[in-house]
């Protein structure tokens, strides 16, 4: 039988389609707005060229300070290791002596064991005489006591050496751990330097040009200060020479001068002229000798220092290096003054205490100039406001104005 049920209309389903479309569109709009909001979130502004330069310079300064810490720890470790080696050598020698004593005592013990098979009564009976028995017993007792004393003495020495060795080994382990920690710290600074270099590599051509211009400006300012100082030094030298000549002219004839003059003009016919010549020669020689006596020693050493330092120009800066193919700042100053026979400590912090403090205005070639409040850098003054130094990672030993960095102070090592 046919059904009288009205067929279901599909219009309801069809009318739902626009709603679904609207919902999808709304979700898409929300997603788009969310994405736009996220993209519109504030970002950290790009640092200026001045800030980039300052950051890199500060990281290099930190690296220099960490290098000095590493140098100090390395030097202390080396000293401690030498001390430990000496202790171990002493322990070995004492052990050899102790083993020898033990062998001697072992032989004696074996003999005593063999003799112990005979009772004292039997030994007395078989002895040539009672007197011989008692004499042999006294010798044996004295020998046993002496050997026992030797054994006790070496056992005491061995115990003391073992304690000393343990203490030295512990100190060495502690210093080695400290050195490893400093290396880790150094690596952290190098990572910061790498980040700074990465930042520099992302700069545009125009930004790199601006940064280079800032660096040139800094160098030019330092150079102008050095040139001004060079003029002052030249003026002071001229004035000193003028005063020397005036003093020479006023200085009366001395025995040495007169003798030299008489000897030099002995064949002359004019006594007056001869005397005048003699006075001039004598005074000149006397003045020259006096200058050499007062400044010659340091000037001679400084000349050796500067000659060595100039020969290192162009070699790379490497932290912790003391030559001969590379240097850090204090490694260069130490090696240069060693060439003149003066032993300087390893770090800038110790080198700054290793001489007579001098004002910047009183600097002489060969003096050491230290930089930054943490005394993390040092250079060798060469005159005219310039120095030779090992600057920083990525740079070579070079001449530069002492005014390129903030000066902490200066010393005269000898």
């Amino acid at each position: 039988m046919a059904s009288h049920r009205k067929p279901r209309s599909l219009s309801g389903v069809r009318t739902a389609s626009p709603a679904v479309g609207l919902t999808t569109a709304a979700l898409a709009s929300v997603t788009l707005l969310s994405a736009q909001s996220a993209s519109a979130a504030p970002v950290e502004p790009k640092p200026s060229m001045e800030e980039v330069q300052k950051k890199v310079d500060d990281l290099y300064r930190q690296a220099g300070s960490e290098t000095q810490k590493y140098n100090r720890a390395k030097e202390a470790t080396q000293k401690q290791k030498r001390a430990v080696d000496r202790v171990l050598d002493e322990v070995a020698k004492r052990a050899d002596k102790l083993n020898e004593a033990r062998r001697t005592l072992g032989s004696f013990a074996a003999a005593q064991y063999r003799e112990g098979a005979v009772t004292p009564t039997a030994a007395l009976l078989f002895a040539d005489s009672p007197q011989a028995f008692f004499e042999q017993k006294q010798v044996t007792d004295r020998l046993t006591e002496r050997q026992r004393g030797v054994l006790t003495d070496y056992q005491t020495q061995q115990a003391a050496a073992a304690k000393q060795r343990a203490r030295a080994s512990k100190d060495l382990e502690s210093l080695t751990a400290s050195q490893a920690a400093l290396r880790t710290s150094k690596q952290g600074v190098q990572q910061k330097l790498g980040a700074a270099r990465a930042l520099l590599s992302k700069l545009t051509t125009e930004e790199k040009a601006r940064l280079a211009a800032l660096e040139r400006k800094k160098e030019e300012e330092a150079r102008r200060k050095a040139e001004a100082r060079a003029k002052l030094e030249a003026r002071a030298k001229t004035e000193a020479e003028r005063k020397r000549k005036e003093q020479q002219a006023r200085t009366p004839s001395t025995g040495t001068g007169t003798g030299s003059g008489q000897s030099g003009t002995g064949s002359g016919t004019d006594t007056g002229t001869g005397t005048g010549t003699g006075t001039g020669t004598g005074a000149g020689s006397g003045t020259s000798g006096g200058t050499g006596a007062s400044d010659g020693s340091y000037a001679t050493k400084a000349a050796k220092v500067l000659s060595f330092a100039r020969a290192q120009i162009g070699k790379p800066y490497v932290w912790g290096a003391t030559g001969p193919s590379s240097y850090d700042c204090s490694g260069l100053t130490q090696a240069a003054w060693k060439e003149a026979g003066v032993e300087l400590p390893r770090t800038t912090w110790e080198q700054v205490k290793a001489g007579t403090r001098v004002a910047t205005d009183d600097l002489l070639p060969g003096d050491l100039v230290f930089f930054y409040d943490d005394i993390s850098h040092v250079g060798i003054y060469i005159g005219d406001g310039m120095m030779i130094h090992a600057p920083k990672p990525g740079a070579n030993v070079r001449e530069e104005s002492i005014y390129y960095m903030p000066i902490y102070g200066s010393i005269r090592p000898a």
Side-chain angles (χ1 to χ4, degrees):
M1 184 174 69
S3 172
H4 299 285
R5 182 179 298 173
K6 186 178 179 178
R8 180 178 297 177
S9 173
L10 298 177
S11 61
V13 177
R14 286 195 298 272
T15 56
S17 296
V20 172
L22 289 171
T23 303
T24 303
L27 289 173
S29 300
V30 171
T31 303
L32 180 60
L33 289 172
S34 299
Q36 291 175 343
S37 298
S39 63
V43 296
E44 185 178 351
K46 190 174 183 179
S48 66
M49 294 303 99
E50 290 81 359
E51 290 172 336
V52 171
Q53 184 187 44
K54 184 178 183 301
K55 181 177 180 180
V56 173
D57 288 345
D58 190 55
L59 286 170
Y60 278 131
R61 183 195 60 75
Q62 291 180 41
S65 183
E66 290 297 327
T67 296
Q68 298 307 313
K69 291 180 182 178
Y70 172 81
N71 291 340
R72 181 171 61 185
K74 181 179 179 181
E75 186 178 44
T77 301
Q78 291 173 340
K79 289 181 179 179
Q80 188 64 38
K81 186 177 184 303
R82 288 193 293 268
V84 170
D85 289 342
R86 285 195 298 269
V87 170
L88 294 178
D89 288 342
E90 291 175 2
V91 169
K93 291 176 182 178
R94 290 175 180 173
D96 289 340
K97 292 180 179 179
L98 185 58
N99 289 335
E100 183 180 352
R102 283 175 174 170
R103 285 192 295 269
T104 302
L105 292 175
S107 300
F108 182 74
Q112 285 287 83
Y113 177 79
R114 288 192 298 270
E115 293 177 2
V118 180
T119 64
T121 303
L124 176 60
L125 292 174
F126 288 111
D128 294 338
S129 67
Q131 182 65 28
F133 169 77
F134 286 113
E135 288 177 355
Q136 181 181 5
K137 187 174 185 306
Q138 289 175 356
V139 171
T140 301
D141 290 343
R142 286 197 301 270
L143 183 61
T144 302
E145 185 64 28
R146 183 178 65 83
Q147 294 292 349
R148 187 182 298 114
V150 172
L151 177 60
T152 301
D153 178 60
Y154 279 108
Q155 286 176 334
T156 301
Q157 291 185 34
Q158 185 186 41
K163 290 181 180 179
Q164 188 176 5
R165 179 177 57 186
R167 182 170 60 252
S169 298
K170 185 177 180 180
D171 290 343
L172 180 59
E173 290 175 0
S174 176
L175 286 169
T176 301
S178 176
Q179 186 178 26
L182 289 171
R183 283 198 301 267
T184 301
S185 176
K186 177 67 177 181
Q187 290 170 357
V189 173
Q190 288 178 326
Q191 290 174 357
K192 294 180 182 179
L193 293 173
R197 286 193 294 268
L199 177 61
L200 293 173
S201 67
K202 294 177 182 178
L203 297 177
T204 65
T205 303
E206 181 183 355
E207 289 170 334
K208 289 179 180 179
R210 286 170 52 200
L211 187 62
L214 288 174
E215 184 65 22
R216 287 194 299 271
K217 181 180 178 181
K218 181 180 178 181
E219 292 175 354
E220 183 60 30
E221 290 176 354
R223 190 180 299 111
R224 281 199 299 269
K225 290 182 179 179
E227 289 173 352
R229 178 181 176 84
K231 292 179 181 178
L232 290 175
E233 289 184 1
R235 193 176 301 126
K237 188 180 296 184
T238 300
E239 180 65 15
E241 179 65 14
R242 184 186 66 79
K243 290 182 178 180
R244 185 190 69 80
K245 289 181 177 179
E246 288 182 354
Q247 178 67 23
Q248 178 179 350
R250 289 194 300 264
T251 302
S253 175
T254 62
T256 302
T258 302
S260 176
Q262 290 172 348
S263 176
T265 58
S267 59
T269 59
D270 190 344
T271 306
T273 303
T275 304
T277 304
T279 302
T281 304
S285 301
T287 303
S288 176
T291 303
S294 59
D295 299 333
S297 177
Y298 183 76
T300 300
K301 292 179 180 179
K304 293 180 180 179
V305 170
L306 298 186
S307 176
F308 178 89
R310 288 191 173 98
Q312 312 313 309
I313 290 177
K315 294 183 179 181
Y317 174 102
V318 175
W319 67 274
T322 57
S325 59
S326 59
Y327 298 89
D328 63 19
C329 64
S330 57
L332 176 62
T333 53
Q334 184 186 48
W337 268 101
K338 185 176 182 179
E339 189 73 10
V342 177
E343 294 288 342
L344 289 179
R346 178 65 182 91
T347 69
T348 55
W349 303 322
E350 295 301 320
Q351 287 183 8
V352 76
K353 306 173 187 176
T356 303
R357 293 296 294 266
V358 294
T360 304
D361 291 342
D362 299 328
L363 284 172
L364 292 177
D367 291 347
L368 301 185
V369 186
F370 298 85
F371 302 90
Y372 301 112
D373 290 340
D374 60 358
I375 323 175
S376 56
H377 193 71
V378 62
I380 304 170
Y381 189 66
I382 61 175
D384 295 338
M386 301 293 288
M387 66 177 172
I388 296 175
H389 70 142
K392 57 188 177 181
N396 296 331
V397 176
R398 66 192 183 200
E399 291 187 8
E400 196 153 42
S401 168
I402 63 172
Y403 300 104
Y404 184 78
M405 296 168 283
I407 297 175
Y408 172 84
S410 307
I411 69 158
R412 189 158 299 150

